[in-house]
Amino acid sequence: MTLDERLWKTFNKALGQYQLIDEDDHILVGLSGGKDSLLLTELLARRSKVHVPHFRVSALHVRMENIHYETDTTYLQSFCDEHDIPLHVITTSFQSNHTSHFSSLSSHLKEKPACFLCSWQRRKQLFNLAQELGCTKIALGHHQDDIIHTALMNLTFQGHLSTMPVKLRMLKMPLTIIRPLALCQEADIRQYASEHHYEKQLKQCPYEHETNRTAIVDLFRQMQQLNPEARQSIWNALEADKKLIEY
C-alpha cells in the first residue's frame, strides 16, 4: 500500500468510525498553512467529490498580527483554488490594547500565556465565521500524535486523563468540532507533505519550542522505544475511557 493510499484509508476509517460527517454538512476547515491543515483540506475536498454523504467544505486562515509567524496566503489561495475550496482570510490580534478586538476580553484571559490567547482568538474567529456561513462542523488538523501528546500533558501536569476529542458537539452553539486526521500518524503526514511539495510557513511561531509539549513529544518517543505498542495502548485507554467523543 502506498503512502497516499494509507493516508486516504486511515482518513476514511476515522470518518466512519467516529461518524464525523453527515449528509448536507457544511464544514469549515481551520487552515493554518502547516502540513496537517493542508492535508486535511486536500482530503476533505477529495472526499466531498465522492457524493455520499453530500457535504461542502470552506476554509479559514487566521493571520495574527502580533505573533511573528506567517504563511504565504497567495499559496493558500492557489492551494484552495486547486481543490475547489472557498478560502476566507481574517487578520486579528490578541493584544489587550486592540480594543476593537478585545472589548469583551476579561482580565483573567489577558493574563493567560501567549499560546493560549493565540489559540483562543483563532477559535473565536472560526466559531464566528462558521455561524456566519451556516456551517455545521469545524474541522481541525490535529493528528493522532497531537491527541496522544495532549493526553500525556494532561495526565502529567493536570492529573487527569483527557485529550482533544475526535468529535466534540458544542453545547452553546449548533456546531461540532471534528478531527478527521485522528488516526493518521505525524510521520506519514510529514512524508506526504515532502513528497507533494507542500510549501512551508514563511516564519515559524516564536513560542513553539517554549512549551511543555516539546518535552512531552520527547517522552512519547522514549515510550515508543520502550514499547513499540505504546501508541496503540494509549489510544485504547482513551477509547475505553470514552475520551475521544464528547456530546
Side-chain angles (χ1 to χ4, degrees):
M1 185 183 297
T2 66
L3 175 62
D4 189 349
E5 291 170 337
R6 182 164 69 249
L7 282 170
W8 179 242
K9 179 179 180 180
T10 305
F11 167 78
N12 280 288
K13 180 180 178 181
L15 295 186
Q17 182 172 329
Y18 300 105
Q19 300 179 353
L20 299 185
I21 298 179
D22 298 304
E23 183 70 19
D24 293 327
D25 268 345
H26 185 182
I27 301 173
L28 181 62
V29 180
L31 181 57
S32 68
K35 66 184 188 311
D36 308 324
S37 64
L38 287 169
L39 176 64
L40 175 60
T41 302
E42 179 179 334
L43 293 180
L44 281 172
R46 182 174 166 187
R47 187 66 177 79
S48 70
K49 295 176 174 61
V50 175
H51 302 305
V52 179
H54 174 267
F55 66 95
R56 293 185 293 144
V57 183
S58 298
L60 170 63
H61 176 68
V62 180
R63 302 187 67 173
M64 200 65 63
E65 286 179 330
N66 60 315
I67 294 292
H68 301 294
Y69 71 92
E70 185 179 353
T71 297
D72 183 354
T73 51
T74 302
Y75 171 68
L76 295 185
Q77 185 65 66
S78 64
F79 187 89
C80 288
D81 288 345
E82 177 185 350
H83 296 288
D84 299 318
I85 300 296
L87 173 66
H88 303 262
V89 178
I90 294 176
T91 300
T92 186
S93 170
F94 61 78
Q95 289 179 321
S96 59
N97 59 353
H98 284 230
T99 55
S100 61
H101 293 305
F102 296 97
S103 57
S104 61
L105 190 61
S106 68
S107 58
H108 174 66
L109 279 177
K110 292 175 184 178
E111 296 172 357
K112 294 288 186 179
C115 292
F116 175 91
L117 292 175
C118 184
S119 175
W120 183 89
Q121 184 64 8
R122 288 175 180 278
R123 294 295 178 89
K124 178 181 177 182
Q125 298 300 331
L126 273 168
F127 291 145
N128 288 346
L129 182 63
Q131 292 179 93
E132 180 182 326
L133 296 177
C135 294
T136 50
K137 305 276 175 64
I138 292 176
L140 303 177
H142 300 114
H143 45 68
Q144 189 176 62
D145 294 65
D146 289 327
I147 294 172
I148 289 175
H149 295 160
T150 299
L152 291 175
M153 284 190 66
N154 290 342
L155 189 62
T156 303
F157 297 103
Q158 303 297 328
H160 57 80
L161 181 64
S162 64
T163 190
M164 302 179 290
V166 180
K167 184 177 182 180
L168 172 63
R169 186 170 297 167
M170 306 301 295
L171 297 177
K172 297 182 179 180
M173 59 189 76
L175 285 169
T176 299
I177 295 176
I178 60 174
R179 295 180 167 90
L181 301 183
L183 299 179
C184 298
Q185 297 186 23
E186 183 177 21
D188 284 345
I189 298 174
R190 184 182 295 110
Q191 182 181 343
Y192 184 90
S194 176
E195 292 179 359
H196 289 74
H197 307 291
Y198 284 178
E199 287 191 13
K200 295 182 178 180
Q201 291 172 307
L202 300 177
K203 296 179 182 178
Q204 297 297 316
C205 175
Y207 298 102
E208 66 180 21
H209 297 301
E210 296 182 10
T211 68
N212 289 322
R213 185 169 291 270
T214 303
I216 290 296
V217 171
D218 291 335
L219 173 62
F220 181 50
R221 189 177 298 116
Q222 294 175 43
M223 293 173 70
Q224 290 182 292
Q225 292 172 351
L226 179 65
N227 175 20
E229 300 299 322
R231 174 187 297 272
Q232 195 57 49
S233 294
I234 296 171
W235 196 260
N236 289 344
L238 292 170
E239 288 270 19
D241 213 33
K242 304 186 187 316
K243 299 301 184 183
L244 297 179
I245 297 180
E246 293 186 16
Y247 293 102

PDB file of all heavy atoms in Angstrom, residues 2-8 35 38-40 42-43 46 79 83 185-198:
ATOM      1  N   THR A   2       0.612   2.167  -0.899  1.00  0.00           N
ATOM      2  CA  THR A   2       1.394   3.397  -0.969  1.00  0.00           C
ATOM      3  C   THR A   2       1.032   4.318   0.189  1.00  0.00           C
ATOM      4  O   THR A   2      -0.005   4.138   0.860  1.00  0.00           O
ATOM      5  CB  THR A   2       1.131   4.132  -2.287  1.00  0.00           C
ATOM      6  OG1 THR A   2      -0.227   4.588  -2.313  1.00  0.00           O
ATOM      7  CG2 THR A   2       1.389   3.221  -3.485  1.00  0.00           C
ATOM      8  N   LEU A   3       1.866   5.331   0.409  1.00  0.00           N
ATOM      9  CA  LEU A   3       1.606   6.310   1.462  1.00  0.00           C
ATOM     10  C   LEU A   3       0.280   7.017   1.208  1.00  0.00           C
ATOM     11  O   LEU A   3      -0.523   7.220   2.137  1.00  0.00           O
ATOM     12  CB  LEU A   3       2.751   7.319   1.528  1.00  0.00           C
ATOM     13  CG  LEU A   3       2.575   8.478   2.506  1.00  0.00           C
ATOM     14  CD1 LEU A   3       2.455   7.973   3.934  1.00  0.00           C
ATOM     15  CD2 LEU A   3       3.748   9.454   2.378  1.00  0.00           C
ATOM     16  N   ASP A   4       0.041   7.414  -0.033  1.00  0.00           N
ATOM     17  CA  ASP A   4      -1.207   8.082  -0.392  1.00  0.00           C
ATOM     18  C   ASP A   4      -2.403   7.200  -0.047  1.00  0.00           C
ATOM     19  O   ASP A   4      -3.390   7.652   0.557  1.00  0.00           O
ATOM     20  CB  ASP A   4      -1.197   8.402  -1.893  1.00  0.00           C
ATOM     21  CG  ASP A   4      -2.357   9.299  -2.308  1.00  0.00           C
ATOM     22  OD1 ASP A   4      -3.275   9.504  -1.493  1.00  0.00           O
ATOM     23  OD2 ASP A   4      -2.355   9.786  -3.443  1.00  0.00           O
ATOM     24  N   GLU A   5      -2.330   5.934  -0.407  1.00  0.00           N
ATOM     25  CA  GLU A   5      -3.419   5.000  -0.122  1.00  0.00           C
ATOM     26  C   GLU A   5      -3.613   4.808   1.371  1.00  0.00           C
ATOM     27  O   GLU A   5      -4.752   4.728   1.856  1.00  0.00           O
ATOM     28  CB  GLU A   5      -3.138   3.655  -0.801  1.00  0.00           C
ATOM     29  CG  GLU A   5      -3.215   3.704  -2.326  1.00  0.00           C
ATOM     30  CD  GLU A   5      -2.700   2.420  -2.967  1.00  0.00           C
ATOM     31  OE1 GLU A   5      -1.908   1.696  -2.304  1.00  0.00           O
ATOM     32  OE2 GLU A   5      -3.058   2.156  -4.129  1.00  0.00           O
ATOM     33  N   ARG A   6      -2.496   4.726   2.111  1.00  0.00           N
ATOM     34  CA  ARG A   6      -2.599   4.517   3.556  1.00  0.00           C
ATOM     35  C   ARG A   6      -3.266   5.707   4.249  1.00  0.00           C
ATOM     36  O   ARG A   6      -4.150   5.538   5.102  1.00  0.00           O
ATOM     37  CB  ARG A   6      -1.211   4.256   4.149  1.00  0.00           C
ATOM     38  CG  ARG A   6      -1.257   3.974   5.646  1.00  0.00           C
ATOM     39  CD  ARG A   6       0.023   3.353   6.154  1.00  0.00           C
ATOM     40  NE  ARG A   6       1.155   4.251   6.139  1.00  0.00           N
ATOM     41  CZ  ARG A   6       2.189   4.130   5.327  1.00  0.00           C
ATOM     42  NH1 ARG A   6       2.238   3.153   4.434  1.00  0.00           N
ATOM     43  NH2 ARG A   6       3.206   4.983   5.386  1.00  0.00           N
ATOM     44  N   LEU A   7      -2.873   6.921   3.870  1.00  0.00           N
ATOM     45  CA  LEU A   7      -3.475   8.105   4.481  1.00  0.00           C
ATOM     46  C   LEU A   7      -4.954   8.221   4.113  1.00  0.00           C
ATOM     47  O   LEU A   7      -5.791   8.551   4.966  1.00  0.00           O
ATOM     48  CB  LEU A   7      -2.719   9.365   4.047  1.00  0.00           C
ATOM     49  CG  LEU A   7      -1.397   9.634   4.765  1.00  0.00           C
ATOM     50  CD1 LEU A   7      -0.643  10.764   4.091  1.00  0.00           C
ATOM     51  CD2 LEU A   7      -1.622   9.954   6.241  1.00  0.00           C
ATOM     52  N   TRP A   8      -5.279   7.942   2.867  1.00  0.00           N
ATOM     53  CA  TRP A   8      -6.665   8.012   2.420  1.00  0.00           C
ATOM     54  C   TRP A   8      -7.526   6.985   3.159  1.00  0.00           C
ATOM     55  O   TRP A   8      -8.629   7.293   3.614  1.00  0.00           O
ATOM     56  CB  TRP A   8      -6.714   7.792   0.909  1.00  0.00           C
ATOM     57  CG  TRP A   8      -8.076   7.803   0.288  1.00  0.00           C
ATOM     58  CD1 TRP A   8      -8.685   6.777  -0.375  1.00  0.00           C
ATOM     59  CD2 TRP A   8      -9.000   8.900   0.241  1.00  0.00           C
ATOM     60  NE1 TRP A   8      -9.933   7.166  -0.822  1.00  0.00           N
ATOM     61  CE2 TRP A   8     -10.149   8.455  -0.461  1.00  0.00           C
ATOM     62  CE3 TRP A   8      -8.975  10.203   0.731  1.00  0.00           C
ATOM     63  CZ2 TRP A   8     -11.259   9.267  -0.690  1.00  0.00           C
ATOM     64  CZ3 TRP A   8     -10.086  11.024   0.511  1.00  0.00           C
ATOM     65  CH2 TRP A   8     -11.198  10.557  -0.195  1.00  0.00           C
ATOM     66  N   LYS A  35       1.491  21.628   7.488  1.00  0.00           N
ATOM     67  CA  LYS A  35       1.293  20.395   6.714  1.00  0.00           C
ATOM     68  C   LYS A  35      -0.004  19.685   7.071  1.00  0.00           C
ATOM     69  O   LYS A  35      -0.669  19.116   6.198  1.00  0.00           O
ATOM     70  CB  LYS A  35       2.481  19.452   6.918  1.00  0.00           C
ATOM     71  CG  LYS A  35       2.632  18.916   8.346  1.00  0.00           C
ATOM     72  CD  LYS A  35       3.865  18.067   8.532  1.00  0.00           C
ATOM     73  CE  LYS A  35       3.905  17.371   9.888  1.00  0.00           C
ATOM     74  NZ  LYS A  35       3.651  18.244  11.035  1.00  0.00           N
ATOM     75  N   LEU A  38      -3.115  21.540   5.654  1.00  0.00           N
ATOM     76  CA  LEU A  38      -3.109  21.423   4.193  1.00  0.00           C
ATOM     77  C   LEU A  38      -3.606  20.040   3.770  1.00  0.00           C
ATOM     78  O   LEU A  38      -4.431  19.909   2.864  1.00  0.00           O
ATOM     79  CB  LEU A  38      -1.704  21.668   3.642  1.00  0.00           C
ATOM     80  CG  LEU A  38      -1.212  23.115   3.673  1.00  0.00           C
ATOM     81  CD1 LEU A  38       0.278  23.188   3.348  1.00  0.00           C
ATOM     82  CD2 LEU A  38      -2.006  23.996   2.697  1.00  0.00           C
ATOM     83  N   LEU A  39      -3.096  18.998   4.435  1.00  0.00           N
ATOM     84  CA  LEU A  39      -3.542  17.642   4.114  1.00  0.00           C
ATOM     85  C   LEU A  39      -5.026  17.486   4.423  1.00  0.00           C
ATOM     86  O   LEU A  39      -5.772  16.892   3.627  1.00  0.00           O
ATOM     87  CB  LEU A  39      -2.733  16.612   4.896  1.00  0.00           C
ATOM     88  CG  LEU A  39      -3.186  15.154   4.696  1.00  0.00           C
ATOM     89  CD1 LEU A  39      -2.983  14.716   3.244  1.00  0.00           C
ATOM     90  CD2 LEU A  39      -2.440  14.219   5.643  1.00  0.00           C
ATOM     91  N   LEU A  40      -5.472  18.004   5.546  1.00  0.00           N
ATOM     92  CA  LEU A  40      -6.879  17.907   5.912  1.00  0.00           C
ATOM     93  C   LEU A  40      -7.760  18.543   4.844  1.00  0.00           C
ATOM     94  O   LEU A  40      -8.777  17.977   4.437  1.00  0.00           O
ATOM     95  CB  LEU A  40      -7.121  18.585   7.268  1.00  0.00           C
ATOM     96  CG  LEU A  40      -8.576  18.661   7.725  1.00  0.00           C
ATOM     97  CD1 LEU A  40      -9.189  17.275   7.857  1.00  0.00           C
ATOM     98  CD2 LEU A  40      -8.668  19.421   9.046  1.00  0.00           C
ATOM     99  N   GLU A  42      -7.020  19.032   1.686  1.00  0.00           N
ATOM    100  CA  GLU A  42      -6.945  18.215   0.476  1.00  0.00           C
ATOM    101  C   GLU A  42      -7.833  16.974   0.571  1.00  0.00           C
ATOM    102  O   GLU A  42      -8.577  16.650  -0.365  1.00  0.00           O
ATOM    103  CB  GLU A  42      -5.496  17.805   0.221  1.00  0.00           C
ATOM    104  CG  GLU A  42      -5.313  16.923  -1.000  1.00  0.00           C
ATOM    105  CD  GLU A  42      -3.860  16.546  -1.247  1.00  0.00           C
ATOM    106  OE1 GLU A  42      -2.949  17.305  -0.824  1.00  0.00           O
ATOM    107  OE2 GLU A  42      -3.626  15.488  -1.864  1.00  0.00           O
ATOM    108  N   LEU A  43      -7.762  16.283   1.698  1.00  0.00           N
ATOM    109  CA  LEU A  43      -8.529  15.041   1.845  1.00  0.00           C
ATOM    110  C   LEU A  43     -10.033  15.310   1.934  1.00  0.00           C
ATOM    111  O   LEU A  43     -10.836  14.552   1.366  1.00  0.00           O
ATOM    112  CB  LEU A  43      -8.051  14.275   3.076  1.00  0.00           C
ATOM    113  CG  LEU A  43      -6.635  13.703   3.009  1.00  0.00           C
ATOM    114  CD1 LEU A  43      -6.293  12.960   4.298  1.00  0.00           C
ATOM    115  CD2 LEU A  43      -6.458  12.774   1.805  1.00  0.00           C
ATOM    116  N   ARG A  46     -11.251  16.089  -1.534  1.00  0.00           N
ATOM    117  CA  ARG A  46     -11.325  14.839  -2.293  1.00  0.00           C
ATOM    118  C   ARG A  46     -12.533  14.010  -1.866  1.00  0.00           C
ATOM    119  O   ARG A  46     -13.250  13.456  -2.709  1.00  0.00           O
ATOM    120  CB  ARG A  46     -10.030  14.058  -2.073  1.00  0.00           C
ATOM    121  CG  ARG A  46      -9.897  12.750  -2.804  1.00  0.00           C
ATOM    122  CD  ARG A  46      -8.487  12.222  -2.559  1.00  0.00           C
ATOM    123  NE  ARG A  46      -8.341  10.825  -2.932  1.00  0.00           N
ATOM    124  CZ  ARG A  46      -7.243  10.098  -2.698  1.00  0.00           C
ATOM    125  NH1 ARG A  46      -6.210  10.669  -2.094  1.00  0.00           N
ATOM    126  NH2 ARG A  46      -7.183   8.833  -3.052  1.00  0.00           N
ATOM    127  N   PHE A  79      -3.761  26.873  -3.449  1.00  0.00           N
ATOM    128  CA  PHE A  79      -3.996  25.510  -2.968  1.00  0.00           C
ATOM    129  C   PHE A  79      -5.502  25.248  -2.882  1.00  0.00           C
ATOM    130  O   PHE A  79      -5.997  24.208  -3.334  1.00  0.00           O
ATOM    131  CB  PHE A  79      -3.337  25.332  -1.603  1.00  0.00           C
ATOM    132  CG  PHE A  79      -3.376  23.925  -1.070  1.00  0.00           C
ATOM    133  CD1 PHE A  79      -2.357  23.031  -1.364  1.00  0.00           C
ATOM    134  CD2 PHE A  79      -4.426  23.493  -0.270  1.00  0.00           C
ATOM    135  CE1 PHE A  79      -2.374  21.729  -0.870  1.00  0.00           C
ATOM    136  CE2 PHE A  79      -4.454  22.197   0.229  1.00  0.00           C
ATOM    137  CZ  PHE A  79      -3.428  21.308  -0.079  1.00  0.00           C
ATOM    138  N   HIS A  83      -8.234  22.826  -5.237  1.00  0.00           N
ATOM    139  CA  HIS A  83      -9.134  21.813  -4.680  1.00  0.00           C
ATOM    140  C   HIS A  83     -10.587  22.295  -4.593  1.00  0.00           C
ATOM    141  O   HIS A  83     -11.411  21.651  -3.934  1.00  0.00           O
ATOM    142  CB  HIS A  83      -8.633  21.391  -3.297  1.00  0.00           C
ATOM    143  CG  HIS A  83      -7.297  20.729  -3.327  1.00  0.00           C
ATOM    144  ND1 HIS A  83      -7.108  19.457  -3.830  1.00  0.00           N
ATOM    145  CD2 HIS A  83      -6.057  21.163  -2.951  1.00  0.00           C
ATOM    146  CE1 HIS A  83      -5.829  19.125  -3.748  1.00  0.00           C
ATOM    147  NE2 HIS A  83      -5.175  20.141  -3.217  1.00  0.00           N
ATOM    148  N   GLN A 185      -0.813   9.206  11.459  1.00  0.00           N
ATOM    149  CA  GLN A 185       0.397   9.460  12.231  1.00  0.00           C
ATOM    150  C   GLN A 185       1.187  10.616  11.622  1.00  0.00           C
ATOM    151  O   GLN A 185       1.247  10.769  10.397  1.00  0.00           O
ATOM    152  CB  GLN A 185       1.250   8.200  12.292  1.00  0.00           C
ATOM    153  CG  GLN A 185       0.568   7.048  13.014  1.00  0.00           C
ATOM    154  CD  GLN A 185       1.472   5.850  13.200  1.00  0.00           C
ATOM    155  OE1 GLN A 185       2.696   5.967  13.191  1.00  0.00           O
ATOM    156  NE2 GLN A 185       0.867   4.676  13.386  1.00  0.00           N
ATOM    157  N   GLU A 186       1.819  11.394  12.489  1.00  0.00           N
ATOM    158  CA  GLU A 186       2.535  12.580  12.021  1.00  0.00           C
ATOM    159  C   GLU A 186       3.645  12.231  11.037  1.00  0.00           C
ATOM    160  O   GLU A 186       3.871  12.963  10.070  1.00  0.00           O
ATOM    161  CB  GLU A 186       3.117  13.359  13.201  1.00  0.00           C
ATOM    162  CG  GLU A 186       3.804  14.640  12.757  1.00  0.00           C
ATOM    163  CD  GLU A 186       4.328  15.475  13.905  1.00  0.00           C
ATOM    164  OE1 GLU A 186       4.527  14.923  15.007  1.00  0.00           O
ATOM    165  OE2 GLU A 186       4.530  16.677  13.696  1.00  0.00           O
ATOM    166  N   ALA A 187       4.341  11.135  11.239  1.00  0.00           N
ATOM    167  CA  ALA A 187       5.436  10.770  10.349  1.00  0.00           C
ATOM    168  C   ALA A 187       4.937  10.578   8.919  1.00  0.00           C
ATOM    169  O   ALA A 187       5.610  10.988   7.953  1.00  0.00           O
ATOM    170  CB  ALA A 187       6.114   9.497  10.847  1.00  0.00           C
ATOM    171  N   ASP A 188       3.767   9.980   8.768  1.00  0.00           N
ATOM    172  CA  ASP A 188       3.182   9.792   7.442  1.00  0.00           C
ATOM    173  C   ASP A 188       2.820  11.130   6.813  1.00  0.00           C
ATOM    174  O   ASP A 188       3.048  11.359   5.616  1.00  0.00           O
ATOM    175  CB  ASP A 188       1.939   8.911   7.524  1.00  0.00           C
ATOM    176  CG  ASP A 188       2.265   7.436   7.708  1.00  0.00           C
ATOM    177  OD1 ASP A 188       3.428   7.046   7.494  1.00  0.00           O
ATOM    178  OD2 ASP A 188       1.350   6.672   8.069  1.00  0.00           O
ATOM    179  N   ILE A 189       2.245  12.018   7.607  1.00  0.00           N
ATOM    180  CA  ILE A 189       1.842  13.333   7.095  1.00  0.00           C
ATOM    181  C   ILE A 189       3.071  14.130   6.671  1.00  0.00           C
ATOM    182  O   ILE A 189       3.075  14.779   5.619  1.00  0.00           O
ATOM    183  CB  ILE A 189       1.034  14.098   8.153  1.00  0.00           C
ATOM    184  CG1 ILE A 189      -0.255  13.341   8.495  1.00  0.00           C
ATOM    185  CG2 ILE A 189       0.713  15.510   7.672  1.00  0.00           C
ATOM    186  CD1 ILE A 189      -1.050  13.945   9.630  1.00  0.00           C
ATOM    187  N   ARG A 190       4.122  14.075   7.469  1.00  0.00           N
ATOM    188  CA  ARG A 190       5.358  14.799   7.139  1.00  0.00           C
ATOM    189  C   ARG A 190       5.944  14.287   5.826  1.00  0.00           C
ATOM    190  O   ARG A 190       6.372  15.075   4.970  1.00  0.00           O
ATOM    191  CB  ARG A 190       6.373  14.642   8.269  1.00  0.00           C
ATOM    192  CG  ARG A 190       7.643  15.457   8.038  1.00  0.00           C
ATOM    193  CD  ARG A 190       8.644  15.259   9.141  1.00  0.00           C
ATOM    194  NE  ARG A 190       8.156  15.770  10.428  1.00  0.00           N
ATOM    195  CZ  ARG A 190       7.825  15.012  11.453  1.00  0.00           C
ATOM    196  NH1 ARG A 190       7.919  13.692  11.373  1.00  0.00           N
ATOM    197  NH2 ARG A 190       7.397  15.553  12.568  1.00  0.00           N
ATOM    198  N   GLN A 191       5.951  12.971   5.656  1.00  0.00           N
ATOM    199  CA  GLN A 191       6.485  12.397   4.425  1.00  0.00           C
ATOM    200  C   GLN A 191       5.628  12.786   3.214  1.00  0.00           C
ATOM    201  O   GLN A 191       6.151  13.138   2.153  1.00  0.00           O
ATOM    202  CB  GLN A 191       6.559  10.876   4.534  1.00  0.00           C
ATOM    203  CG  GLN A 191       7.152  10.195   3.301  1.00  0.00           C
ATOM    204  CD  GLN A 191       7.183   8.677   3.432  1.00  0.00           C
ATOM    205  OE1 GLN A 191       7.051   8.133   4.536  1.00  0.00           O
ATOM    206  NE2 GLN A 191       7.348   7.989   2.310  1.00  0.00           N
ATOM    207  N   TYR A 192       4.319  12.734   3.388  1.00  0.00           N
ATOM    208  CA  TYR A 192       3.404  13.091   2.298  1.00  0.00           C
ATOM    209  C   TYR A 192       3.600  14.551   1.901  1.00  0.00           C
ATOM    210  O   TYR A 192       3.641  14.891   0.702  1.00  0.00           O
ATOM    211  CB  TYR A 192       1.959  12.855   2.729  1.00  0.00           C
ATOM    212  CG  TYR A 192       0.942  13.101   1.643  1.00  0.00           C
ATOM    213  CD1 TYR A 192       0.547  12.080   0.788  1.00  0.00           C
ATOM    214  CD2 TYR A 192       0.370  14.369   1.471  1.00  0.00           C
ATOM    215  CE1 TYR A 192      -0.393  12.300  -0.212  1.00  0.00           C
ATOM    216  CE2 TYR A 192      -0.564  14.600   0.474  1.00  0.00           C
ATOM    217  CZ  TYR A 192      -0.943  13.562  -0.365  1.00  0.00           C
ATOM    218  OH  TYR A 192      -1.861  13.796  -1.360  1.00  0.00           O
ATOM    219  N   ALA A 193       3.713  15.432   2.902  1.00  0.00           N
ATOM    220  CA  ALA A 193       3.906  16.855   2.626  1.00  0.00           C
ATOM    221  C   ALA A 193       5.192  17.097   1.851  1.00  0.00           C
ATOM    222  O   ALA A 193       5.236  17.936   0.943  1.00  0.00           O
ATOM    223  CB  ALA A 193       3.931  17.636   3.944  1.00  0.00           C
ATOM    224  N   SER A 194       6.234  16.345   2.192  1.00  0.00           N
ATOM    225  CA  SER A 194       7.512  16.475   1.481  1.00  0.00           C
ATOM    226  C   SER A 194       7.399  15.987   0.042  1.00  0.00           C
ATOM    227  O   SER A 194       7.849  16.653  -0.894  1.00  0.00           O
ATOM    228  CB  SER A 194       8.592  15.696   2.231  1.00  0.00           C
ATOM    229  OG  SER A 194       9.812  15.720   1.525  1.00  0.00           O
ATOM    230  N   GLU A 195       6.772  14.830  -0.139  1.00  0.00           N
ATOM    231  CA  GLU A 195       6.657  14.241  -1.471  1.00  0.00           C
ATOM    232  C   GLU A 195       5.758  15.065  -2.392  1.00  0.00           C
ATOM    233  O   GLU A 195       5.953  15.078  -3.609  1.00  0.00           O
ATOM    234  CB  GLU A 195       6.115  12.814  -1.364  1.00  0.00           C
ATOM    235  CG  GLU A 195       7.088  11.842  -0.713  1.00  0.00           C
ATOM    236  CD  GLU A 195       6.523  10.428  -0.593  1.00  0.00           C
ATOM    237  OE1 GLU A 195       5.361  10.225  -1.014  1.00  0.00           O
ATOM    238  OE2 GLU A 195       7.236   9.547  -0.074  1.00  0.00           O
ATOM    239  N   HIS A 196       4.775  15.756  -1.806  1.00  0.00           N
ATOM    240  CA  HIS A 196       3.854  16.550  -2.613  1.00  0.00           C
ATOM    241  C   HIS A 196       4.193  18.036  -2.590  1.00  0.00           C
ATOM    242  O   HIS A 196       3.410  18.872  -3.045  1.00  0.00           O
ATOM    243  CB  HIS A 196       2.410  16.317  -2.147  1.00  0.00           C
ATOM    244  CG  HIS A 196       1.896  14.965  -2.506  1.00  0.00           C
ATOM    245  ND1 HIS A 196       2.306  13.815  -1.856  1.00  0.00           N
ATOM    246  CD2 HIS A 196       1.030  14.558  -3.465  1.00  0.00           C
ATOM    247  CE1 HIS A 196       1.698  12.770  -2.389  1.00  0.00           C
ATOM    248  NE2 HIS A 196       0.930  13.191  -3.364  1.00  0.00           N
ATOM    249  N   HIS A 197       5.351  18.350  -2.045  1.00  0.00           N
ATOM    250  CA  HIS A 197       5.920  19.703  -2.113  1.00  0.00           C
ATOM    251  C   HIS A 197       5.002  20.768  -1.511  1.00  0.00           C
ATOM    252  O   HIS A 197       4.837  21.850  -2.073  1.00  0.00           O
ATOM    253  CB  HIS A 197       6.271  20.059  -3.563  1.00  0.00           C
ATOM    254  CG  HIS A 197       7.137  19.042  -4.240  1.00  0.00           C
ATOM    255  ND1 HIS A 197       8.456  18.824  -3.887  1.00  0.00           N
ATOM    256  CD2 HIS A 197       6.853  18.149  -5.233  1.00  0.00           C
ATOM    257  CE1 HIS A 197       8.954  17.853  -4.643  1.00  0.00           C
ATOM    258  NE2 HIS A 197       8.016  17.423  -5.462  1.00  0.00           N
ATOM    259  N   TYR A 198       4.421  20.440  -0.353  1.00  0.00           N
ATOM    260  CA  TYR A 198       3.689  21.478   0.371  1.00  0.00           C
ATOM    261  C   TYR A 198       4.669  22.583   0.749  1.00  0.00           C
ATOM    262  O   TYR A 198       5.771  22.308   1.244  1.00  0.00           O
ATOM    263  CB  TYR A 198       3.093  20.909   1.662  1.00  0.00           C
ATOM    264  CG  TYR A 198       1.860  20.057   1.514  1.00  0.00           C
ATOM    265  CD1 TYR A 198       1.285  19.469   2.631  1.00  0.00           C
ATOM    266  CD2 TYR A 198       1.241  19.844   0.282  1.00  0.00           C
ATOM    267  CE1 TYR A 198       0.135  18.683   2.538  1.00  0.00           C
ATOM    268  CE2 TYR A 198       0.102  19.062   0.176  1.00  0.00           C
ATOM    269  CZ  TYR A 198      -0.441  18.484   1.305  1.00  0.00           C
ATOM    270  OH  TYR A 198      -1.573  17.719   1.205  1.00  0.00           O
TER     271      TYR A 198
END
